[in-house]
Amino acid sequence: MTRQIGSVVGGKDAPATTTYDSTNPAHITTVVARVGLADADTFAAACRTAKDAQKEWAKVPAPVRGRVIASIGRLVEENAETLAKLVTQEIGKPYAEALGEVREIVDTCDFFLGEGRRLYGQTVPSEMPDKNLFTFRNPIGVAAVITAGNFPVAVPSWYLIPALLCGNAVVWKPAEYAAASAHAFYQLIAASGLPEGVLNIVFADGKSTFEGLEKALNDGTVQKVGFTGSSEVGRKIGELTGRHLQSACLELGGKNPMVVMPDADLDLAVEGALFAGFGTAGQRCTSLGTVIVHEDVHDEFVRRFATAVKNARIGDPTEDVLAGPLLDQKFADRYEEFLTWIQPHHQVISGNIGRIAHTNPRHDFTGEDGLYYHPVVVDGVKPTDQLFLEETFGPIVGVTTFTTLDEAIELANLPGYGLSSSIYTTNPSSAFRFREGISAGMVSVNNSTSGAEAHLPFGGNGKSGNGSRQSGMWVLDQFTRWQAMNWDHSGRLQKAQMDVAEITPDLGFRL
């Protein structure tokens, strides 16, 4: 029986105005869930509900809120295989990767459960006697969180867990094409004992979500917006929140470079490029965009990389494969457009391109009725090419060359994104020079562009984001506001910068 799911506001089912079928991209005729989509008014109403619930949730001591986060982690851990299988079924992510994604929720909870006892402020010395200065972290209020579906449960946890821990309420709008996975995660959070209305889940299309968010911002019921998605939509979210004097937490796209130095371990570099470029079928914001390889090792690297890609197994995501299908039909359509960016001066070194089918098989795999595509490596990419400059969300990687490290860094920064990056070298000097010069918020040395751990800051600059960071203690600045307090117990008015004792030095003293 097909799942029937919909929005939940204040612990109660919310009305839907239309439906959306979330299908299995490995078998596009299989409906995983029929999703009831809400309208803009429902989204705005959810924000009002969250505002009312947040006041009481903020009164719960932070260490107690931390115990709720601990319960969420244990619930996810106990249901890990079921949730991972649903992720695989709904978005086609290989099961091993889906298990890793679910594990990331657990890691995030394990980190933040302790932060409930470490939402530290400071005691600050005053410049005047009989006066004390303090700082406190206060919750922001209501966070509206809008997430993509390529990581349907892990990335949302980066927002939801710290936001809830800090005493905020949340309205969460997941991607429609990953609605079943998101709803399952919501159910696990709800089972933790979280009070009704503190977390609300609203399924809606993009237009209704934007209109609802605009209504909520006008009503003053949202104090923070978190968005994971494209740079194009991120700009619109940033403009909207800016009009309300808010700074959104934006985690956007990437054109992530990998520099291969002449002293690199080429086998290791190929392994990293293969996973970074084609894991999750190249549908990560941190996926490899362009390999920038030194001219002295270009030919050998390309030979090994082409062999690895040709031998990589693409297929049923429930099996041991490098990649399964694309996430959804709209991403397949967009990827078809990216393939038109391949120009006559390019050389496809990886074999077939396009959708895998009986007429275009990959080894003995014909794709059945899934959204499977051949992984593509394009050599000879130039810095002026669209393929070099723009994000390509899907299994396609470009290759270009450089002569000096300074040139490599310039090429790596040229597209204007700044999310993730990687360098393969055995020279520490090269690694640190790359780190200093690269604009990316994340740098890997002898590792793929997609590597991230739950206790490190995650986020980008330029077209990849507005400098906000998720994960680790750094995300606390997204979901709390600093409050300063001064307490004068001198019994008189002491004026800062004015009533300050002077100690006069003898600046003319000489030995």
Side-chain angles (χ1 to χ4, degrees):
M1 179 180 293
T2 301
R3 294 176 181 83
Q4 306 285 330
I5 62 174
S7 305
V8 184
V9 176
K12 299 178 175 59
D13 293 339
T17 57
T18 186
T19 60
Y20 174 93
D21 284 349
S22 175
T23 58
N24 181 345
H27 303 281
I28 56 177
T29 57
T30 301
V31 177
V32 177
R34 182 148 293 147
V35 188
L37 299 182
D39 59 13
D41 289 336
T42 300
F43 187 95
C47 296
R48 291 192 294 270
T49 297
K51 180 182 178 182
D52 292 338
Q54 188 271 332
K55 298 174 184 177
E56 293 303 314
W57 177 239
K59 294 178 183 177
V60 176
V64 178
R65 298 197 300 261
R67 291 205 293 270
V68 174
I69 299 305
S71 297
I72 295 171
R74 300 292 74 76
L75 283 161
V76 171
E77 198 166 37
E78 291 299 320
N79 291 273
E81 293 185 0
T82 301
L83 184 57
K85 288 176 181 176
L86 181 56
V87 168
T88 295
Q89 182 186 21
E90 188 170 37
I91 66 165
K93 178 172 289 189
Y95 180 64
E97 283 193 55
L99 272 177
E101 174 168 350
V102 173
R103 181 69 228 179
E104 191 160 0
I105 304 173
V106 177
D107 292 346
T108 299
C109 290
D110 286 351
F111 180 88
F112 282 106
L113 67 90
E115 290 304 303
R117 296 184 182 274
R118 288 192 297 270
L119 281 177
Y120 298 146
Q122 298 91 22
T123 302
V124 183
S126 173
E127 63 187 20
M128 289 172 281
D130 300 320
K131 187 178 182 183
N132 297 100
L133 310 180
F134 310 90
T135 65
F136 301 87
R137 282 190 184 272
N138 289 338
I140 55 169
V142 174
V145 174
I146 304 164
T147 56
N150 55 337
F151 285 83
V153 292
V155 169
S157 76
W158 296 354
Y159 292 101
L160 305 185
I161 299 305
L164 295 172
L165 174 82
C166 291
N168 304 292
V170 179
V171 175
W172 175 28
K173 204 297 284 189
E176 306 96 294
Y177 63 88
S181 302
H183 189 265
F185 184 28
Y186 167 82
Q187 289 179 302
L188 292 173
I189 297 176
S192 70
L194 192 72
E196 292 180 346
V198 174
L199 175 62
N200 309 274
I201 187 168
V202 177
F203 298 104
D205 62 22
K207 182 175 183 294
S208 296
T209 300
F210 192 87
E211 291 175 357
L213 179 60
E214 190 167 24
K215 288 174 182 283
L217 287 166
N218 286 329
D219 292 342
T221 54
V222 167
Q223 287 71 47
K224 188 71 181 185
V225 179
F227 173 77
T228 297
S230 70
S231 300
E232 178 185 3
V233 177
R235 285 192 184 94
K236 295 178 182 178
I237 296 289
E239 290 169 359
L240 177 61
T241 54
R243 293 202 297 272
H244 294 269
L245 302 181
Q246 287 194 23
S247 175
C249 181
L250 301 176
E251 198 277 283
L252 310 177
K255 189 67 177 178
N256 307 295
M258 174 183 289
V259 172
V260 180
M261 297 294 289
D263 60 352
D265 179 334
L266 292 187
D267 286 336
L268 185 62
V270 165
E271 184 180 6
L274 186 69
F275 180 71
F278 304 111
T280 321
Q283 299 166 112
R284 306 186 189 108
C285 55
T286 57
S287 288
L288 173 60
T290 306
V291 184
I292 304 170
V293 58
H294 193 275
E295 58 188 9
D296 289 351
V297 294
H298 167 267
D299 292 352
E300 182 60 20
F301 174 83
V302 164
R303 184 186 67 78
R304 298 188 196 188
F305 190 29
T307 300
V309 173
K310 289 175 182 176
N311 291 337
R313 188 179 177 202
I314 309 298
D316 186 342
T318 64
E319 299 178 2
D320 182 17
V321 295
L322 173 65
L326 298 193
L327 296 165
D328 184 75
Q329 185 62 54
K330 66 179 180 181
F331 294 103
D333 293 342
R334 186 79 174 99
Y335 181 68
E336 295 274 6
E337 181 182 343
F338 298 147
L339 291 177
T340 67
W341 296 357
I342 299 173
Q343 299 298 309
H345 66 270
H346 295 149
Q347 181 183 4
V348 175
I349 61 171
S350 50
N352 293 3
I353 66 172
R355 188 166 176 174
I356 299 172
H358 284 282
T359 56
N360 187 24
R362 181 170 181 83
H363 308 306
D364 59 350
F365 179 62
T366 57
E368 304 304 326
D369 60 346
L371 300 174
Y372 295 98
Y373 280 78
H374 290 280
V376 176
V377 178
V378 181
D379 194 15
V381 174
K382 297 179 180 179
T384 54
D385 292 341
Q386 195 170 13
L387 197 58
F388 180 88
L389 294 171
E390 297 186 32
E391 181 181 26
T392 49
F393 198 71
I396 183 169
V397 171
V399 179
T400 193
T401 59
F402 72 95
T403 56
T404 67
L405 180 55
D406 287 342
E407 181 189 0
I409 293 171
E410 184 177 349
L411 288 169
N413 288 332
L414 185 60
Y417 293 86
L419 184 56
S420 187
S421 62
S422 176
I423 183 170
Y424 278 78
T425 181
T426 55
N427 186 335
S429 176
S430 297
F432 280 105
R433 281 180 57 199
F434 180 75
R435 184 209 67 77
E436 291 169 359
I438 195 69
S439 63
M442 298 178 289
V443 181
S444 291
V445 180
N446 298 329
N447 203 340
S448 78
T449 59
S450 51
E453 296 189 38
H455 51 284
L456 274 177
F458 185 100
N461 312 309
K463 290 190 285 187
S464 293
N466 58 351
S468 54
R469 293 294 182 264
Q470 298 167 299
S471 298
M473 64 182 184
W474 299 269
V475 75
L476 298 177
D477 286 334
Q478 297 296 318
F479 294 111
T480 56
R481 295 285 185 262
W482 283 109
Q483 183 183 61
M485 173 182 173
N486 77 84
W487 185 342
D488 194 322
H489 51 93
S490 67
R492 65 187 187 279
L493 177 63
Q494 299 189 90
K495 299 182 286 295
Q497 292 90 43
M498 298 170 66
D499 298 333
V500 180
E502 291 287 344
I503 298 176
T504 305
D506 180 3
L507 295 179
F509 174 78
R510 299 291 185 272
L511 290 175

